[in-house]
Amino acid sequence: MSSIRIGPLGGTLTPFLYPPFCRTSRRSLCKLPFAFSRCSSTTTRHDESQTGPDSSNLNPTPDNYSLTPFADRCILTIEAGSGGHGCVSFLREKYIEEGPPNGGDGGSGGNVYIQAVRGETSLHKLARRRLIKAGRGRNGQGKMKGGERGQDVLITVPIGTIVREIQRRDPVADAEWAERRAERYGKNSAEEQGSYRKDKWLVFPGTVPSELNRMTFPELPKSRRSHLAALQPEAPIYLDLDKHMEAPMLLAAGAMGGIGNPHFITSNIPRPKMATRGDEGMKLSLQLELKILADLGLVGLPNAGKSTLTRALTNSKARVGNWAFTTLQPNVGTVVLDNHKGRPSVMKRGRDGILRENFLIADVPGLIEDAHLDKGLGLGFLRHVERAAVLAFVVDLSTGDAIETLKLLWREVSEYEGLRGKELNAETERRMVMYRPVGGRASQQKELEELDQPDLTSPQALPPLASTPISSKPWFVVATKADLLNTQENYEALRQYLDAVNNSTQPHPSNRENAWRRNIQSIPVSAIRAEGVEVIPQLVMNLLEE
């Protein structure tokens, strides 16, 4: 009976959840071969994961991986808050048979702000939301109580984000244009008589249709804008948020609320039974794209040691393994310059005079031959390389000629740079041929009537941004796996080649005329042992100043 009770222990999760119990009961389980084998193997793996070399940050166990959500481009639809409706109300007190109107005005809608802050490295939070809507203003109430203002919305983005407008729908601007057209071409008879418009007017509850037809509505008030609308950026929106913002920037101001029935008192109509509806909020479709993905971008072939190097420099938990394409999306880590344990090893101030405490490093997926033809991860990978301030070409000294590997990497980068130049020229020519003034209106009434409302349900993405040419960016070489045997000669040949490039006796690996070549350095490191990586932060900060 004892074997029947203890036997199921080897097939459960007890050794994983309670390893001390497994160790103490090992003697009792030795009589059962199947239970002993499972328990002993599980306990051995558990002890090794705690005390063995696999528990280090540079050679982690599989449970130490973390897939960081990442997005460097997204299309976002924002909507300012609509205004609340005006109130139709009358004073009701004892001994007052028909009191005066006392309906309050509707509250204005909420505003949408944007702010670039430190600490944000990705747009994945906004990419999941897609639609951001500010709060709607509350309706007015009786006793001249105005509606409450709508709740504002703040959008936080990483530093280096480009905001570009794709589409816009502004009901207030359309109403203002209709008013100007009416002043120019005259009003029709229905508008002069003040007819009822369901989308503009609110009437007293219980008003029957026959009474509604006999009512005379005054002329609609002219369109109003919030005083904050003067702070909005001009259309079309193009923002380069390349610095930390102490205060947020207004993107879309909330719409104004409707007005209550006391505003329509006249000598002929002492008790008006109408109020106006609140204006509809403005809708914007924006494309957000990170112009600078990181301060340092790692470029290399698959399995060159980029993820291990990222772990050696940061506390990142990027996935590592001895096979190709362990990294399928960029991993952004933070290299801390000051650990607040005394004098920092690297002290640098930015152009704004602020002492820098860290910089960002991007571990991008591996590059293969003909990546500029969209092979492998292709153009998506090269787009990440294009938006790094400094490039570090990671070369594996243990596999093949390091010089040929460096030339291969530069060849793919150079070909991609040529393709981006052709795309930019084609886009410039297309805009020159099909140029239309921004925000321009047709002069004829027929063209005005044929204008369609923009469709914000499925906006088309804008072309990628044109940044600094890759060949003109500062760069250096990181020679990994230098601790292995028979790698000294390979590194010495690489160092001599870079000296020849610095002295202009050898052409630049990209074969570009204006390529960057100012004291190009090579650093031999052992990323798995974190040896030699301590000089990289100082070198990166020096190159960022250039």
Side-chain angles (χ1 to χ4, degrees), residues 303-304 395-402 479-487 490:
N303 200 26
V395 177
D396 186 0
L397 295 177
S398 63
T399 58
D401 188 1
T480 59
K481 304 180 183 179
D483 57 326
L484 301 180
L485 298 177
N486 302 325
T487 58
N490 199 4

Side-chain angles (χ1 to χ4, degrees), residues 410 471-473 475 508-518:
W410 264 115
S471 59
S472 62
K473 295 178 181 290
W475 62 282
H508 194 272
S510 64
N511 294 323
R512 298 279 178 175
E513 295 182 359
N514 299 324
W516 190 89
R517 55 169 87 204
R518 300 178 186 174

